[in-house]
Amino acid sequence: MESVLVSACLQGVPCRFDGRGRASGAMTAAIGERRPVAFCPEVSAGLPTPRRPAEIVGGDGHDVLDGRARVVDDTGHDVTDEFVDGAERALAAARRTGCTEALLMARSPSCGRGTVYDGTFTGELRDGDGVTAALLERNGISVRPAPRD
Ligand code: SF4
Protein backbone atom coordinates (compact mmCIF):
# COMPACT_ATOMS: atom_id res chain seq x y z
CA MET A 1 0.00 0.00 0.00
CA GLU A 2 1.22 3.50 -0.83
CA SER A 3 2.27 5.67 2.12
CA VAL A 4 2.00 9.43 2.67
CA LEU A 5 3.80 11.45 5.33
CA VAL A 6 1.39 13.63 7.32
CA SER A 7 1.73 16.22 10.07
CA ALA A 8 1.03 14.31 13.27
CA CYS A 9 -1.02 17.13 14.80
CA LEU A 10 -3.57 16.76 12.01
CA GLN A 11 -3.96 13.12 12.93
CA GLY A 12 -4.98 14.18 16.45
CA VAL A 13 -1.58 13.73 18.09
CA PRO A 14 -1.29 16.45 20.80
CA CYS A 15 2.12 17.68 19.61
CA ARG A 16 1.44 21.32 18.78
CA PHE A 17 3.26 24.10 20.64
CA ASP A 18 0.10 24.64 22.69
CA GLY A 19 -0.12 20.97 23.61
CA ARG A 20 -3.06 20.27 21.34
CA GLY A 21 -3.71 18.30 18.18
CA ARG A 22 -6.68 18.32 15.89
CA ALA A 23 -7.79 15.43 13.71
CA SER A 24 -8.89 16.75 10.34
CA GLY A 25 -11.68 15.26 8.28
CA ALA A 26 -10.41 17.01 5.16
CA MET A 27 -7.01 15.46 5.79
CA THR A 28 -8.51 12.00 6.13
CA ALA A 29 -10.22 12.48 2.78
CA ALA A 30 -6.98 13.67 1.15
CA ILE A 31 -5.10 10.63 2.45
CA GLY A 32 -7.67 8.37 0.85
CA GLU A 33 -6.65 4.73 0.62
CA ARG A 34 -3.01 5.44 1.42
CA ARG A 35 -1.28 4.57 4.68
CA PRO A 36 -0.64 7.73 6.74
CA VAL A 37 2.77 8.05 8.38
CA ALA A 38 2.15 10.58 11.17
CA PHE A 39 5.27 12.57 12.03
CA CYS A 40 6.07 15.70 14.06
CA PRO A 41 9.49 17.12 13.20
CA GLU A 42 9.64 19.41 16.22
CA VAL A 43 8.87 16.73 18.81
CA SER A 44 11.10 14.23 17.03
CA ALA A 45 13.98 16.66 17.50
CA GLY A 46 13.39 16.71 21.25
CA LEU A 47 11.46 19.94 21.65
CA PRO A 48 8.95 19.76 24.50
CA THR A 49 5.17 19.92 24.29
CA PRO A 50 3.88 22.43 25.13
CA ARG A 51 6.66 24.79 23.98
CA ARG A 52 7.12 28.43 23.10
CA PRO A 53 5.84 29.30 19.60
CA ALA A 54 8.63 29.72 17.06
CA GLU A 55 8.91 31.43 13.69
CA ILE A 56 11.51 31.79 10.96
CA VAL A 57 13.28 35.14 11.08
CA GLY A 58 14.95 36.50 7.97
CA GLY A 59 13.51 34.21 5.31
CA ASP A 60 11.84 30.84 4.91
CA GLY A 61 12.87 27.22 5.41
CA HIS A 62 15.10 27.23 2.34
CA ASP A 63 16.96 30.22 3.76
CA VAL A 64 17.33 28.36 7.07
CA LEU A 65 18.81 25.33 5.28
CA ASP A 66 21.21 27.63 3.43
CA GLY A 67 22.25 29.43 6.62
CA ARG A 68 20.65 32.78 5.71
CA ALA A 69 17.82 32.71 8.26
CA ARG A 70 17.17 31.19 11.66
CA VAL A 71 14.30 29.93 13.77
CA VAL A 72 13.66 31.59 17.11
CA ASP A 73 10.94 31.27 19.72
CA ASP A 74 9.00 34.24 21.04
CA THR A 75 11.55 34.78 23.82
CA GLY A 76 14.35 35.10 21.25
CA HIS A 77 15.81 31.65 21.97
CA ASP A 78 17.41 30.16 18.85
CA VAL A 79 15.94 26.75 17.95
CA THR A 80 17.36 26.52 14.43
CA ASP A 81 19.37 23.38 15.16
CA GLU A 82 16.31 21.55 16.47
CA PHE A 83 14.21 22.54 13.46
CA VAL A 84 16.87 21.37 11.01
CA ASP A 85 17.33 18.14 12.97
CA GLY A 86 13.56 17.54 12.90
CA ALA A 87 13.49 18.12 9.14
CA GLU A 88 16.27 15.57 8.64
CA ARG A 89 14.38 13.07 10.78
CA ALA A 90 11.22 13.66 8.73
CA LEU A 91 13.13 13.01 5.51
CA ALA A 92 14.56 9.82 6.99
CA ALA A 93 11.06 8.68 8.02
CA ALA A 94 9.69 9.41 4.55
CA ARG A 95 12.46 7.42 2.91
CA ARG A 96 12.18 4.56 5.39
CA THR A 97 8.45 4.20 4.76
CA GLY A 98 8.51 4.83 1.00
CA CYS A 99 6.55 8.09 1.05
CA THR A 100 6.72 10.07 -2.19
CA GLU A 101 4.25 12.72 -0.99
CA ALA A 102 3.73 14.69 2.21
CA LEU A 103 0.57 16.46 3.41
CA LEU A 104 1.71 19.04 5.93
CA MET A 105 0.13 21.62 8.22
CA ALA A 106 -0.14 25.05 6.64
CA ARG A 107 1.86 28.03 7.95
CA SER A 108 4.05 26.11 10.40
CA PRO A 109 7.76 27.05 10.47
CA SER A 110 8.40 23.31 10.15
CA CYS A 111 5.55 21.93 8.07
CA GLY A 112 4.26 24.99 6.20
CA ARG A 113 4.14 24.82 2.40
CA GLY A 114 3.73 27.94 0.28
CA THR A 115 3.17 30.31 3.21
CA VAL A 116 4.69 30.57 6.68
CA TYR A 117 4.49 33.05 9.54
CA ASP A 118 6.78 35.97 8.83
CA GLY A 119 8.92 36.00 11.97
CA THR A 120 7.21 38.93 13.69
CA PHE A 121 4.87 36.84 15.91
CA THR A 122 1.97 39.00 14.75
CA GLY A 123 0.13 36.37 12.72
CA GLU A 124 1.35 37.89 9.44
CA LEU A 125 2.34 35.50 6.65
CA ARG A 126 5.01 35.50 3.97
CA ASP A 127 5.52 33.34 0.90
CA GLY A 128 7.78 30.36 1.49
CA ASP A 129 8.12 26.94 3.04
CA GLY A 130 8.83 25.65 6.53
CA VAL A 131 12.15 23.96 7.23
CA THR A 132 10.82 20.40 6.91
CA ALA A 133 8.75 21.20 3.83
CA ALA A 134 11.82 22.76 2.20
CA LEU A 135 14.08 19.80 2.94
CA LEU A 136 11.51 17.26 1.73
CA GLU A 137 10.98 19.20 -1.50
CA ARG A 138 14.72 19.41 -2.12
CA ASN A 139 14.91 15.65 -1.82
CA GLY A 140 12.17 14.76 -4.26
CA ILE A 141 9.21 14.42 -1.91
CA SER A 142 6.13 16.20 -3.23
CA VAL A 143 4.84 18.44 -0.44
CA ARG A 144 1.28 19.75 -0.35
CA PRO A 145 -0.40 21.87 2.31
CA ALA A 146 -3.01 19.85 4.15
CA PRO A 147 -6.55 20.81 3.16
CA ARG A 148 -8.45 22.72 5.81
CA ASP A 149 -11.75 21.55 7.27
FE1 SF4 B 1 2.15 19.77 13.63
FE2 SF4 B 1 4.31 19.95 12.09
FE3 SF4 B 1 4.00 21.62 14.16
FE4 SF4 B 1 4.52 19.06 14.61
S1 SF4 B 1 5.87 20.51 13.61
S2 SF4 B 1 2.97 20.28 15.64
S3 SF4 B 1 3.43 18.06 12.93
S4 SF4 B 1 2.70 21.51 12.31
Side-chain angles (χ1 to χ4, degrees), residues 9 14-21 48-53:
C9 55
C15 55
R16 293 192 336 189
F17 76 92
D18 57 6
R20 292 163 39 201
T49 305
R51 55 191 171 274
R52 304 301 309 177

Side-chain angles (χ1 to χ4, degrees), residues 4 64 66 73 85 94 113 117 129 144-146:
V4 57
V64 172
D66 292 337
D73 70 19
D85 180 51
R113 174 79 174 115
Y117 291 112
D129 298 326
R144 292 200 291 136

Side-chain angles (χ1 to χ4, degrees), residues 24-42:
S24 161
M27 180 71 136
T28 301
I31 293 167
E33 297 302 309
R34 296 175 293 179
R35 181 173 71 93
V37 177
F39 196 86
C40 176
E42 294 175 25

Side-chain angles (χ1 to χ4, degrees), residues 5 12 14 16 26 30 36 41 58 64 67 72-73 80 82 86 90 97 100 124-125 133 147:
L5 194 77
R16 293 192 336 189
V64 172
V72 298
D73 70 19
T80 304
E82 289 87 343
T97 55
T100 57
E124 292 297 314
L125 299 171

Side-chain angles (χ1 to χ4, degrees), residues 1 53-54 92 99 111 116 118 124 140:
M1 179 186 286
C99 295
C111 293
V116 289
D118 73 350
E124 292 297 314

Side-chain angles (χ1 to χ4, degrees), residues 28-85:
T28 301
I31 293 167
E33 297 302 309
R34 296 175 293 179
R35 181 173 71 93
V37 177
F39 196 86
C40 176
E42 294 175 25
V43 168
S44 79
L47 291 169
T49 305
R51 55 191 171 274
R52 304 301 309 177
E55 297 190 7
I56 300 169
V57 175
D60 78 338
H62 294 278
D63 296 309
V64 172
L65 294 174
D66 292 337
R68 291 189 299 269
R70 58 201 184 95
V71 189
V72 298
D73 70 19
D74 65 353
T75 70
H77 179 66
D78 192 315
V79 286
T80 304
D81 288 348
E82 289 87 343
F83 274 63
V84 171
D85 180 51

